[in-house]
Amino acid sequence: MAAAAPKGSPAGAGEAPKKSAAEILAAFRNRVDRKIAGEPEPGAKEEAQEGQTLYLTTSAAVQKRREVEDQARHDRHAGKDFEANGRGKKRSTDELPSQRKRERPAHLTVRIARKKKAKISNMPPGIEFKYLQELLEKACGPITEGYVNDSKHVAYLRFEQAEDAQTLYDDFNGGEISGKPIEVELLSDSESIRP
């Protein structure tokens, strides 16, 4: 059992002196004021600000999110719709016959040209090509060349394989980059992707 410290001496030889409530509050206010002003805390290590954080959302995920939001909106208003119709019961969308997409017969299918170039419109501002390239190569496939026109919010890309450009179009046309909706367009081989 440890012996108790004698009265009048500090509890521990290596401990910092206790601060009053007013001192603690003043230190907290100073820290908050510095944070609001965007100033770094004294003695804090600065983090390296290399690169950009981008995230890519597929068009299917965006569509699913919209469907969930629409369904929630529909559920909130469903009771009001049933009450408003005095002539009889109004059918909900769940009760309506399903509308299936009709598949085309094989002899009517159009052959799509094999395009390796793509244009992404409505890009978020300030994205560097090397970070966009890294993101899209993970999602679609190798990119041989391209650039980002920041003033027009457009990116032009050339993929190694036409399948990779098609994947970009199929999966991300109507998708998002860092929360901003994008449009993807496949370009013909005759169109230049250089500024």
Side-chain angles (χ1 to χ4, degrees), residues 19-170:
K19 293 183 180 180
S20 69
E23 292 172 326
I24 293 171
L25 184 58
F28 175 74
R29 285 184 179 153
N30 286 336
R31 197 166 54 243
V32 169
D33 289 341
R34 279 193 305 273
K35 196 167 249 182
I36 290 171
E39 298 172 4
E41 293 220 22
K45 294 179 183 177
E46 271 193 44
E47 295 181 18
Q49 294 294 328
E50 188 178 322
Q52 295 175 316
T53 302
L54 302 174
Y55 56 93
L56 190 62
T57 308
T58 64
S59 53
V62 170
Q63 181 64 31
K64 181 67 176 172
R65 183 180 65 220
R66 287 182 186 146
E67 288 172 2
V68 169
E69 290 169 353
D70 290 345
Q71 184 63 39
R73 192 175 308 113
H74 176 271
D75 291 346
R76 284 193 307 267
H77 298 294
K80 295 177 186 175
D81 288 343
F82 286 129
E83 294 168 9
N85 188 352
R87 293 179 289 165
K89 182 179 178 189
K90 188 173 181 180
R91 295 193 314 181
S92 70
T93 54
D94 297 335
E95 297 171 335
L96 295 174
S98 65
Q99 297 177 0
R100 289 187 216 154
K101 289 184 179 179
R102 294 181 185 166
E103 292 186 25
R104 284 187 174 182
H107 66 282
L108 293 178
T109 346
V110 179
R111 186 169 181 216
I112 299 173
R114 313 282 293 160
K115 299 178 181 179
K116 293 183 179 182
K117 297 178 184 176
K119 171 184 170 184
I120 302 176
S121 304
N122 200 28
M123 293 279 298
I127 292 181
E128 293 180 34
F129 176 71
K130 63 181 180 180
Y131 301 115
L132 178 66
Q133 181 180 14
E134 181 182 342
L135 180 71
L136 293 177
E137 282 183 343
K138 289 179 183 177
C140 303
I143 296 172
T144 57
E145 67 174 318
Y147 77 99
V148 174
N149 184 333
D150 204 27
S151 63
K152 293 184 179 181
H153 305 290
V154 175
Y156 294 92
L157 311 165
R158 180 193 312 264
F159 287 87
E160 268 186 23
Q161 303 290 321
E163 293 83 18
D164 298 336
Q166 189 65 42
T167 299
L168 175 70
Y169 179 80
D170 292 342

